[in-house]
Amino acid sequence: MNDITSQLMPHLMLAPIALPMLTAAMMLLMREEQQRLKLGINILSTLLGLVIAAALLAWTDQAGAPVTMGVYLPGNWPAPFGISLALDRLSAMMLVLTSIVALASIVFAAARWHRAGVHYHPLFQFQLMGLAGAFLTADLFNLFVFFEITLVASYGLLLHGSGRARIQSGLHYIAINLAASSLFLVGVSMLYGITGTLNMADLAAAIPQVEASDRGLLHAAAAILAMAFLIKAAMWPLNFWLVPAYSAATAPVGALFAMMTKLGVYTVLRLWTLLFSSQAGESALFGSAWLIGGGMLTMVFGAIGMLGSQRLSNLAGYAAILSSGSLLAAAGFGQNLLTAGLLYYLPSSTLAIAALFLLSDLIDRWRNAGARTAPYEDDEAPFLNAELVPTAGLNLDEDEEVLIGRVIPAAAAFLGLAFMVCTLVIAGLPPMSGFVGKLAMLNAVLNPLGIGTSAGYQPGFWGWALLALMIGTGLIASIALIRVGMRHFWASHDRNTPQLRVAEGLPIAVLLLCCLLMTVQAGPVMRYMQHAADALHSPNTYIRAVLTQRPVPNPAPSTAQEAP
C-alpha cells in the first residue's frame, strides 16, 4: 500500500481537498429531488476520502521513521512565493479523524436528517473540503480561505432543519465567527507588514530576526491572530456561543461540528509550536502562560456546565469545551511527552463527543415517545425490603408483570451500553482510551524527562494545577454523565421499545469501536503520537522541507525531425 501511495505522492496530498470540492460541485448541478442519489454519492465520496486519508497516514509513518514530510506546490512556484501544502503525522491524523467522524455523521443522517432541508450534501462536502485544506495548508492566507469555506458551509448546516432555536443560535454563531474572521485578517495583515511573508515556514524563520523595536508589534499581531483561533477552539470566556449553537443543530451536524472545535486547537498547536518554539529567539514560548491559564479556566467552565446540564445535547457541547480546555492547557507547557499525550487524547475525546451527539438524538426521541415516565423525585422502590433485596410477591408492576429479570430490548441495551462507553471515555475512566490519554498527560507532567530520569523534578504550581484539574474535572464529568444516564435509563419506565435503525446504530458503534481500538493498540498509537509531538517541537524539519521544495522543471522542448 505504501508503495502505491509513494508513487502517487505528492499529488495524492491534493485529493482530500479536490475530492469533496468536485463532489460538492457535481451535486450542486443535480436537482434537489434526487436525494437518494446525492446521499449515495456523499457516502461514497466520504468513504473514498477516508481511504485516501488512511493511505496518507500510513505513508507518514512508513518504516517507523522519526519524521516523514510531504510537500506539494500546486502552482509549481517555490515557497514562500507560491501556495504550499504540507503533510506530516499530525495533519494526516487529523485527516483520518475528520473522515471517520464525517462518515459516521452522513450515515446517521441517511436515516432521516438529510431530508430536513436543501443542499445538505453539497454543504457537507464543502465542510470537509475546508477542514482538509486547513489541516494541509502551509501558509496563513490559504488557512484563512479554508477557514472561511468551513464556516460558510457550517452556517448552512447549522440552519438545516430550520426552527426558531436554530435560527436564533445560527445568527449568534454567524456574528461571532464574522468577528473572529475580522481578527484573523487584522492579525495576518500585521504579521505580513512586520515579516513580509505569510508562508508559515518562512514566518518561523523570520521571527527570530525581527528587530527589537518591532518585537512588541509582532507579539500584538500574534495575540490578535490567536484570539481568532481561540474563539474557534472555544477557550473561556470566548465560548459562550458553542453550546447553544451545537445543541440547536441536528445530531449529525453536531457530531461533525465536534471537529470544528478541534480545528481551532490544531491551528493553535501548529502555529504556536512553529512560530514560537524554543528556537524563536526572544519570542520563544510567547503566550504559553495564557494558553495554560485559559485552558484551565476552560476546563473548569466545561466541567461546571456539564454538572448543570439536563439536556444531552448541551452535555455533549460542554464536554467538547472541557476537552478543548484540557488540550489547550496541556499544549501550553511545550513538552514533548505532554504533547504526545494530548495528541492521543484528542481523537479519543472527539470520537466520544461525536457519538454522544448522535446518541442524544436517539435517546431524546425514545424518551419523548414514551406514554409516561416516572417522576425523578420518586426514589421509592416498593418491591425491595429494608435489606434492598426483592420482597416475595412484590416483584410485579401495575400490570402484574415481572420487574426484576425482565428482558431488556436489544435497542435499549445498545443505547445504554453506548452511553456507558461515552461516559468512560469523556470522563477519562479505565479501561477506555480517554483514561490512557489522561494518564499519559499526567505522567508527562510528573515525569517530563521520562520515567526514571525525572528524579527530583517538581511540577510547580501550573503542573500541580493541571494534575488536579484533570482528575477533578474527570470526576465532575463522570458524576454529570452518570446522573443523566440514571435519569434516562433507570428512573423511567412504561416506555415503548426504542426504534433504532441500522443506519443510526452503526455509526455510533463504529465511533466507539475506534475508541476501543485505540485502547487495544495503545502502544503503536502512542508511538505514532510521540513521533508527531517530537516533530512539532523540532520545527526545523518542517521549515527545511517546505522552503527547500523545488518546483518540477518544465519539460524540455522537443525538436522537430526533418523528413528525409
Side-chain angles (χ1 to χ4, degrees):
M1 183 66 179
N2 277 341
D3 294 337
I4 299 175
T5 306
S6 298
Q7 294 174 6
L8 296 174
M9 292 293 288
H11 304 286
L12 189 63
M13 291 172 51
L14 193 61
I17 302 173
L19 178 63
M21 179 184 69
L22 295 176
T23 304
M26 180 176 63
M27 288 191 291
L28 283 174
L29 299 176
M30 301 169 62
R31 298 177 60 185
E32 195 61 35
E33 292 80 2
Q34 297 176 295
Q35 287 289 341
R36 288 183 178 273
L37 181 57
K38 287 185 177 182
L39 175 64
I41 294 174
N42 197 345
I43 293 176
L44 182 62
S45 177
T46 307
L47 180 60
L48 182 58
L50 175 58
V51 173
I52 294 172
L56 292 174
L57 183 141
W59 182 83
T60 60
D61 198 40
Q62 56 185 334
V67 179
T68 304
M69 281 283 302
V71 179
Y72 183 61
L73 305 176
N76 208 32
W77 283 80
F81 307 107
I83 297 172
S84 301
L85 302 179
L87 175 76
D88 60 0
R89 282 184 169 89
L90 176 58
S91 53
M93 183 268 287
M94 297 301 293
L95 288 175
V96 171
L97 178 61
T98 301
S99 298
I100 292 174
V101 173
L103 186 59
S105 173
I106 188 57
V107 172
F108 187 93
R112 56 198 293 258
W113 281 116
H114 76 108
R115 300 188 300 270
V118 298
H119 299 309
Y120 180 84
H121 300 289
L123 290 170
F124 190 92
Q125 287 296 314
F126 279 128
Q127 178 98 339
L128 298 186
M129 173 193 171
L131 289 170
F135 294 139
L136 289 172
T137 187
D139 65 272
L140 288 181
F141 178 77
N142 284 285
L143 180 62
F144 173 78
V145 171
F146 286 119
F147 256 90
E148 291 307 299
I149 292 173
T150 303
L151 289 174
V152 169
S154 69
Y155 299 156
L157 290 175
L158 178 57
L159 297 174
H160 183 76
S162 72
R164 179 175 180 177
R166 292 192 181 103
I167 294 175
Q168 181 178 3
S169 299
L171 291 175
H172 293 167
Y173 176 79
I174 292 171
I176 190 65
N177 279 286
L178 287 176
S181 298
S182 300
L183 292 174
F184 196 145
L185 283 178
V186 171
V188 166
S189 301
M190 294 175 66
L191 280 177
Y192 184 77
I194 297 167
T195 62
T197 182
L198 290 180
N199 182 278
M200 288 168 3
D202 202 33
L203 272 171
I207 283 178
Q209 312 302 325
V210 172
E211 298 290 339
S213 57
D214 291 333
R215 187 71 57 178
L217 189 60
L218 170 70
H219 291 172
I224 293 173
L225 189 63
M227 189 75 69
F229 298 141
L230 293 174
I231 289 175
K232 301 179 191 301
M235 176 181 278
W236 185 87
L238 308 173
N239 53 15
F240 60 89
W241 55 270
L242 187 144
V243 174
Y246 284 23
S247 61
T250 62
V253 172
L256 186 61
F257 279 7
M259 283 304 307
M260 293 283 287
T261 306
K262 297 307 184 289
L263 172 60
V265 174
Y266 164 85
T267 310
V268 170
L269 186 62
R270 169 70 74 190
L271 291 180
W272 186 70
T273 56
L274 186 61
L275 305 185
F276 300 105
S277 67
S278 57
Q279 304 167 16
E282 296 181 13
S283 297
L285 302 181
F286 168 73
S288 60
W290 289 99
L291 279 179
I292 296 173
M296 290 182 179
L297 289 173
T298 306
M299 293 172 68
V300 174
F301 177 82
I304 294 175
M306 290 186 70
L307 198 60
S309 295
Q310 302 296 323
R311 292 180 55 194
L312 277 172
S313 56
N314 286 355
L315 198 67
Y318 282 112
I321 292 176
L322 174 59
S323 169
S324 181
S326 303
L327 296 170
L328 291 172
F333 283 82
Q335 299 177 5
N336 292 35
L337 293 178
L338 189 54
T339 303
L342 78 88
L343 289 181
Y344 182 97
Y345 179 72
L346 187 154
S348 173
S349 61
T350 305
L351 292 168
I353 291 167
L356 187 58
F357 272 112
L358 300 181
L359 270 175
S360 66
D361 182 60
L362 300 179
I363 295 174
D364 286 343
R365 194 195 323 163
W366 177 35
R367 179 180 180 81
N368 294 333
R372 60 186 178 89
T373 57
Y376 294 145
E377 64 273 8
D378 185 7
D379 294 326
E380 296 182 1
F383 52 88
L384 299 180
N385 59 22
E387 287 75 27
L388 299 182
V389 297
T391 303
L394 288 180
N395 183 22
L396 302 174
D397 63 7
E398 296 175 353
D399 300 322
E400 298 295 321
E401 295 181 2
V402 175
L403 284 170
I404 299 177
R406 182 181 298 177
V407 177
I408 300 176
F414 172 82
L415 295 179
L417 290 173
F419 185 84
M420 182 177 69
V421 175
C422 287
T423 299
L424 294 176
V425 176
I426 293 173
L429 298 175
M432 296 302 296
S433 54
F435 171 75
V436 178
K438 282 195 172 183
L439 184 64
M441 287 190 282
L442 294 178
N443 177 63
V445 171
L446 298 174
N447 302 282
L449 304 178
I451 297 179
T453 59
S454 302
Y457 173 82
Q458 294 296 324
F461 172 79
W462 291 116
W464 288 118
L466 179 63
L467 188 148
L469 279 175
M470 281 197 172
I471 296 175
T473 55
L475 176 62
I476 292 174
S478 63
I479 292 173
L481 288 164
I482 291 172
R483 180 192 62 186
V484 171
M486 291 177 65
R487 287 187 172 184
H488 282 85
F489 295 101
W490 287 355
S492 301
H493 57 84
D494 288 348
R495 292 189 197 166
N496 297 326
T497 302
Q499 300 298 317
L500 182 63
R501 301 179 182 179
V502 175
E504 294 172 326
L506 184 60
I508 297 172
V510 169
L511 291 174
L512 297 180
L513 282 175
C514 288
C515 294
L516 180 61
L517 184 62
M518 286 186 63
T519 307
V520 175
Q521 297 294 323
V525 174
M526 188 60 74
R527 282 193 294 272
Y528 181 94
M529 300 305 180
Q530 187 62 62
H531 284 314
D534 293 341
L536 278 175
H537 291 285
S538 300
N540 282 338
T541 302
Y542 185 98
I543 297 170
R544 186 168 54 252
V546 173
L547 295 182
T548 60
Q549 182 71 17
R550 300 270 67 89
V552 178
N554 294 327
S558 59
T559 58
Q561 298 288 335
E562 291 186 2

